[in-house]
């Protein structure tokens, strides 16, 4: 059986279309289940999921008590999935569902992780594309994981899903973790399609916060930047100190009030930046040690829930 996890947040226009297209594609391939994870939507998303689950035995739904974010929705779906392989796809249909046929064939052929890689980024703006490229370059340089063109659109073997579910951390980055676990991987390229309906929920501010959280939860390179900066400034201070002593001994020392002020401002800025980076990592540690759940499921719908109610 193949399970498909579909995170959804305020996607009431896309739920019926996604269910219909996915069902039509998966039915000839294998027994399947569609797991819609409602990430605390404020529109009619959950009502539609419940309605569809009552008329289609292949559809299941999970409803969060509030908005926990896409990462929580993905991992909730992975935890609930029963399939021998599990796919993750966006509800807005920018990930073409038809690609699942190739992904499923690749899995049948021995691939344990099948990644859908963007050959183009669709109609994204120039600033967004530059931001994405910079982020992926930073991740590659800091963790040796190449995320260029990567997406959350993946199909994974059961053993890969089990490995991801066993990870204890609360602050997750699914796109990188699914590569970090290893296993035999095959990549298939696709073109990003326009949204079926509605508007994107990702503002530039949310994307920046997501990128910052992902970098700090997956690599400690920002901490090393502080050390490197400190070493560079130490070398600069030694050179400047030698120059000052030489000028003083030669009687050519000039008034250095402006230089002192400038150095104090630079060093103060570097120190504050370093303290900020350390503080951010400490806040992440604080969030982890509280061991709060990644998400809270307030309601379930579909086949599994019906079976539990009948017991």
């Amino acid at each position: 059986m193949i399970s498909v996890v579909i995170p959804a947040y305020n996607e009431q226009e896309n739920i019926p279309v996604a269910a219909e297209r996915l069902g039509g594609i998966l039915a000839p391939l294998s027994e399947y289940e569609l797991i819609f994870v409602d990430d605390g939507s404020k529109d009619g998303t959950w009502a539609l999921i419940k309605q569809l689950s009552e008329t289609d035995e292949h559809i299941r739904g999970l409803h969060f008590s509030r908005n926990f974010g896409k990462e929580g929705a993905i991992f909730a779906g992975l935890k609930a999935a029963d399939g021998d392989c599990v796919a993750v796809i966006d509800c807005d249909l920018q990930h073409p569902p038809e690609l699942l046929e190739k992904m499923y064939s690749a899995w049948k052929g021995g691939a344990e992780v099948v990644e859908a890689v963007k050959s183009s980024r669709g109609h994204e703006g120039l600033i967004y594309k530059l931001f994405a490229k910079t982020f992926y370059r930073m991740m590659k340089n800091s963790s040796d994981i190449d995320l260029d063109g990567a997406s959350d659109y993946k199909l994974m073997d059961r053993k890969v899903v089990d490995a991801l579910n066993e990870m204890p951390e609360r602050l997750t980055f699914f796109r990188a973790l699914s590569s970090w676990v290893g296993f035999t991987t095959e990549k298939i390229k696709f073109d990003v399609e326009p949204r079926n309906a509605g508007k994107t929920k990702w503002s530039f501010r949310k994307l920046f916060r997501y990128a910052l959280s992902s970098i700090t939860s997956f690599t400690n390179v920002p901490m090393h930047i502080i050390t490197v900066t400190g070493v560079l400034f130490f070398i600069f201070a030694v050179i400047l100190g030698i120059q000052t002593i030489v000028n003083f001994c030669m009687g050519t020392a000039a008034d250095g009030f402006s230089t002192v002020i400038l150095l104090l401002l630079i060093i103060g800025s570097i120190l504050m930046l370093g303290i900020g980076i350390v503080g951010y990592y400490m806040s992440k540690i604080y969030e982890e040690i509280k061991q709060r759940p990644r998400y809270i499921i307030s309601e379930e719908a579909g086949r599994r829930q019906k079976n539990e109610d009948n017991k």
Side-chain angles (χ1 to χ4, degrees), residues 135 139-140 142-145 147 167 169 171-181 211-222 281 284:
F135 170 69
M139 287 297 299
K140 183 177 181 179
S142 61
S143 63
D144 286 333
I145 294 178
L147 294 178
M167 292 184 177
E169 63 253 45
L171 303 173
T172 55
F173 183 27
F174 169 72
R175 197 171 301 184
L177 285 175
S178 56
S179 298
W180 180 86
V181 294
L212 185 60
S213 176
S214 299
I215 290 172
T216 53
S217 64
F218 207 78
T219 175
N220 58 3
V221 166
Y281 271 95
K284 294 299 179 183

Side-chain angles (χ1 to χ4, degrees), residues 280-298:
Y280 192 83
Y281 271 95
M282 289 183 65
S283 70
K284 294 299 179 183
I285 295 172
Y286 176 64
E287 290 180 29
E288 286 284 354
I289 63 175
K290 285 189 292 187
Q291 296 188 345
R292 290 177 180 172
R294 297 170 182 163
Y295 52 83
I296 298 174
I297 298 174
S298 62

Side-chain angles (χ1 to χ4, degrees), residues 99 102-103 106 114-118 186-190:
L99 197 65
K102 291 184 179 180
M103 297 170 76
V114 185
E115 295 187 1
V117 179
K118 300 173 185 176
E186 185 171 330
K187 296 183 178 182
I188 299 177
K189 291 186 177 181
F190 75 99

Side-chain angles (χ1 to χ4, degrees), residues 24 84 90 105-106 119 153 155 203 206 210 216 227 247 277 303:
D84 301 308
D90 283 355
S105 297
S119 56
Y153 194 9
L155 186 145
S203 64
K206 287 183 178 180
Y210 178 69
T216 53
T227 304
N247 289 338
I277 293 174
R303 174 169 45 82

Side-chain angles (χ1 to χ4, degrees), residues 86-103:
V86 182
V88 177
I89 186 172
D90 283 355
C91 188
D92 56 17
L93 300 178
Q94 287 191 292
H95 296 160
E98 291 75 16
L99 197 65
L100 282 171
E101 295 183 46
K102 291 184 179 180
M103 297 170 76

